[in-house]
Amino acid sequence: MTVPEQIKKYIISQPQPKQNDMQTLHQIILEIMPACKLWFLDGKNSEGKIVSNPNIGYGLYSIKYADGKTKDFYQIGLSANTTGISVYVMGIKDKSYLAQTYSKKLGKASLSGYCIKFKTLKDINLDVLKAAIQDGFWADKK
């Protein structure tokens, strides 16, 4: 199965209204970065054990570890969770940036160093979320 097929299958496996919200976010991210690399991570480790929620990734950046090793990963992630949706904004070095920049304007969401969690799209300001996603794609400038 191709990555786009895996993404479609994952999105349609979600209950409503989460399915519609995830499809909307998927389209928005693709509009922001139409030619970005797509990822699908099924949430399983190398032994096949579930270690996280499945997630969709967009874009490409290199994580640099303290020991000097690097790993390719996505810039923006999208995942269903038990209470709603998580959007991962990776690569911004300042881990307080997202919360400081967007928490007051975003609506009913919780923000960490790289994760924005919310229940449904109607709970948040979509234009503010789009701006945070754009920040993730241009994180090397932050």
Side-chain angles (χ1 to χ4, degrees):
M1 192 178 310
T2 67
V3 171
E5 290 169 340
Q6 290 174 303
I7 291 169
K8 182 177 181 179
K9 183 178 177 186
Y10 174 58
I11 290 172
I12 64 172
S13 75
Q14 301 305 312
Q16 291 294 358
K18 193 182 295 187
Q19 181 185 135
N20 285 345
D21 285 354
M22 289 193 64
Q23 184 62 46
T24 298
L25 287 168
H26 178 63
Q27 289 308 124
I28 287 169
I29 296 167
L30 291 176
E31 286 169 13
I32 292 170
M33 286 294 282
C36 69
K37 175 181 169 104
L38 291 176
W39 304 65
F40 183 76
L41 306 175
D42 63 8
K44 296 176 184 172
N45 67 11
S46 58
E47 291 91 47
K49 182 179 175 186
I50 295 174
V51 295
S52 70
N53 291 326
N55 54 90
I56 304 165
Y58 307 86
L60 176 65
Y61 95 104
S62 289
I63 299 172
K64 191 168 193 172
Y65 295 100
D67 64 4
K69 291 182 182 175
T70 60
K71 174 184 171 184
D72 285 344
F73 204 60
Y74 55 72
Q75 291 166 287
I76 302 296
L78 177 61
S79 180
N81 60 52
T82 54
T83 59
I85 297 171
S86 296
V87 175
Y88 303 100
V89 182
M90 309 300 291
I92 296 176
K93 290 172 184 48
D94 180 353
K95 295 302 174 199
S96 62
Y97 177 82
L98 276 180
Q100 287 177 348
T101 307
Y102 298 109
S103 63
K104 291 182 178 143
K105 301 180 274 184
L106 191 56
K108 290 172 57 176
S110 64
L111 286 85
S112 70
Y114 63 90
C115 182
I116 301 169
K117 283 186 186 180
F118 51 92
K119 189 170 182 172
T120 68
L121 283 180
K122 67 180 182 20
D123 292 338
I124 61 165
N125 182 323
L126 197 51
D127 288 334
V128 174
L129 182 61
K130 286 179 189 178
I133 290 167
Q134 287 174 327
D135 270 353
F137 279 122
W138 292 281
D140 59 336
K141 296 171 180 57
K142 301 267 175 269

